[in-house]
Amino acid sequence: MHVYKFGGASVRDADAIRNLAGIVRQYGRQQPLLVVVSAMGKTTNALEELFQLAYDGQDYSTQLARLSAFHQSVAADLGRAQETQAAAKAEAPLLSDLLTELADRLATVGPGDYDRQYDQMVSFGELLATCIVARALGLQWLDCRPLIRTDHTWREGRVDWPTTERHITAAVPALLAEGPVLTQGFLGGTAGGATTTLGREGSDYTAAIFAYCLRAASVTIWKDVAGLLNADPKIFPDTVRYPEISYRETIEMAYYGASVIHPKTLKPLADRRIPLRVKSFMDPEAEGTLIHDCHHPMLAPAFICKTNQCLLSFESKDFAFISEENLEVIFGALAQAKLKINVMQNSAISFSVCTDYSERRIHQLLDLLREHFTLHYNTGLTLFTIKNYDAASVARLTEGRGLLLEQRTRSTFQFVCK
Ligand code: ASP
Ligand code: MG
């Protein structure tokens, strides 16, 4: 069997969904196919905003009406059985029921565990999208939440692999024998039945989870770019596509923040040697990129840019050296505040880390460490990484920029700047 994953851009409106239908019809009908779909367009951002308003006790009616109207208009445009009652077991819920449930649940949001409530609300994007797409294409609809078991790490659920594999292998092959199956990216569920999410942009990971458990022959991620490129074409004008690349190189690029594939996607695929194709949904005949077990010569330098960075520096209050004991306290606090280290560097009496900026998490960190350390931080920064760098690529990227922190290994050059 094969797995296809379609991201937000490939289901952004009715035309995009018709295009997706064409791809599934043309390439997917020959073999058993599981299709994973993300929330439509920027719906996840819209749900985050809605949730924030509800959590803060503010009026969100305009935003909710806009989100509902958008999904209803796409469904209406696509027509076909959008509002007929679910007949078969594997049929999607009614869009109107889902929208009512979203409204009802938003009304219950309030003070309490922020991240847990976030998952219960923001997960509606994928439910709405798969509901619309399944009905429009006449595909079997599968709720992935009872299958993908995670722990209670809200917003970044950690997958319980043995349980998940047992669930998926028990439920999915029989459905696949009936025809293509459509399910949600990004979502999982706890043993108690609460919804979890797997981390922003986590739908790629979902495709890998199903592929791993079902021992898929391949995974294809359909994107709005021609394949895996050496840089984001929105930022760098002259990109090159890698026709073929190893799992390892791709894992490293994803780790440094190349937004093309969610970083957790590669390991399950590499473990079972399942090839991953990245293809353009606008040009499905084009070659794209094949990620698999391969050896290749030195690749073209990859430029990876992470914006909205925060550079923190910790100084011990008593001018003591940054010792292992101090680092232990700092790392513990970073983990507790769920701040991930993108780069770090230490000197005699100070230690610096670059993380993604989140005001809430930075304040939590400050509270945890205030007693022992003086903290300084700068926000609004950019972290650039050049993988497989050479002198020319370094010169090109650093020219005219004030570097706040810089680090190089044999293969990777990284710097933080304004
Ligand atoms: N819809 C989710 C997000 O935007 C997951 C995904 O797109 O992969 O983060
Ligand atoms: Mg998305």
Side-chain angles (χ1 to χ4, degrees):
M1 57 86 56
H2 297 260
V3 178
Y4 281 4
K5 182 261 171 174
F6 290 93
S10 55
V11 288
R12 88 167 84 80
D13 54 24
D15 282 339
I17 294 173
R18 279 188 274 268
N19 180 63
L20 175 158
I23 292 174
V24 169
R25 219 177 298 120
Q26 186 173 352
Y27 302 94
R29 294 283 177 184
Q30 307 90 330
Q31 343 86 346
L33 180 69
L34 181 94
V35 181
V36 175
V37 165
S38 312
M40 297 173 61
K42 300 275 174 240
T43 299
T44 305
N45 293 351
L47 282 163
E48 282 187 341
E49 192 196 332
L50 257 175
F51 169 65
Q52 188 67 50
L53 288 169
Y55 189 84
D56 293 341
Q58 289 175 22
D59 177 30
Y60 53 79
S61 50
T62 319
Q63 286 82 352
L64 178 59
R66 198 185 304 140
L67 185 115
S68 299
F70 168 66
H71 284 85
Q72 278 160 336
S73 76
V74 172
D77 189 336
L78 291 164
R80 182 153 172 196
Q82 286 291 343
E83 286 303 315
T84 55
Q85 217 34 264
K89 198 166 123 260
E91 198 155 311
L94 291 178
L95 180 61
S96 51
D97 288 350
L98 268 182
L99 288 169
T100 307
E101 192 188 336
L102 169 63
D104 290 348
R105 297 192 68 163
L106 271 171
T108 69
V109 168
D113 190 335
Y114 183 94
D115 290 341
R116 185 183 60 75
Q117 297 187 73
Y118 171 104
D119 277 0
Q120 310 318 303
M121 293 299 110
V122 171
S123 50
F124 270 86
E126 274 65 19
L127 295 172
L128 292 165
T130 51
C131 168
I132 291 173
V133 174
R135 284 173 177 277
L137 274 67
L139 301 181
Q140 305 179 82
W141 183 83
L142 176 68
D143 186 345
C144 73
R145 294 171 297 173
L147 303 181
I148 299 182
R149 169 69 56 80
T150 71
D151 66 1
H152 289 80
T153 314
W154 310 111
R155 302 181 68 172
E156 195 147 358
R158 274 191 287 244
V159 173
D160 167 352
W161 284 93
T163 307
T164 300
E165 187 164 12
R166 211 170 50 245
H167 289 166
I168 289 180
T169 51
V172 181
L175 294 174
L176 286 171
E178 298 291 311
V181 173
L182 181 82
T183 196
Q184 308 77 34
F186 184 49
L187 311 187
T190 64
T195 301
T196 50
T197 61
L198 305 176
R200 286 302 308 267
E201 307 303 328
S203 297
D204 297 340
Y205 185 37
T206 307
I209 294 168
F210 276 101
Y212 176 92
C213 295
L214 296 165
R215 297 174 185 268
S218 76
V219 175
T220 305
I221 296 184
W222 295 91
K223 292 194 66 90
D224 56 357
V225 287
L228 191 62
L229 309 176
N230 75 324
D232 182 345
K234 287 176 203 131
I235 307 172
F236 296 90
D238 47 346
T239 55
V240 296
R241 173 179 57 86
Y242 302 114
E244 173 186 69
I245 187 166
S246 67
Y247 293 117
R248 196 202 160 95
E249 277 288 335
T250 318
I251 288 173
E252 291 182 8
M253 282 184 201
Y255 170 83
Y256 290 125
S259 62
V260 67
I261 293 169
H262 189 275
K264 286 186 181 166
T265 310
L266 279 307
K267 186 182 179 317
L269 299 179
D271 281 352
R272 292 208 162 151
R273 301 190 164 198
I274 299 168
L276 171 61
R277 288 194 177 76
V278 181
K279 284 173 77 87
S280 162
F281 61 76
M282 293 179 303
D283 188 6
E285 286 298 311
E287 179 190 39
T289 296
L290 176 60
I291 302 162
H292 63 154
D293 233 343
C294 64
H295 295 281
H296 39 62
M298 178 83 163
L299 294 166
F303 299 95
I304 301 154
C305 166
K306 248 176 167 330
T307 55
N308 196 26
Q309 296 296 294
C310 174
L311 189 60
L312 287 143
S313 63
F314 310 82
E315 274 170 37
S316 52
K317 284 207 162 149
D318 52 5
F319 289 103
F321 294 125
I322 290 288
S323 63
E324 287 70 20
E325 287 76 19
N326 281 335
L327 289 175
E328 194 177 348
V329 174
I330 294 171
F331 285 137
L334 285 163
Q336 215 177 316
K338 291 198 181 145
L339 283 163
K340 281 197 198 123
I341 301 171
N342 294 329
V343 195
M344 60 184 170
Q345 206 164 66
N346 75 327
S347 64
I349 55 164
S350 120
F351 178 67
S352 306
V353 300
C354 177
T355 71
D356 294 352
Y357 179 62
S358 149
E359 191 185 338
R360 210 164 48 85
R361 292 186 173 160
I362 298 286
H363 282 131
Q364 199 185 339
L365 184 78
L366 295 179
D367 288 343
L368 288 166
L369 293 176
R370 185 163 291 132
E371 202 186 316
H372 302 292
F373 299 92
T374 312
L375 258 79
H376 302 283
Y377 69 96
N378 266 316
T379 60
L381 306 178
T382 302
L383 166 64
F384 282 102
T385 302
I386 314 175
K387 216 174 162 303
N388 307 318
Y389 68 91
D390 54 19
S393 57
V394 170
R396 173 183 162 191
L397 210 58
T398 55
E399 199 183 282
R401 296 186 210 260
L403 310 195
L404 301 174
L405 182 152
E406 150 182 2
Q407 203 167 79
R408 69 175 90 197
T409 66
R410 255 194 311 167
S411 65
T412 307
F413 182 88
Q414 294 187 285
F415 63 92
V416 179
C417 63
K418 282 223 159 77

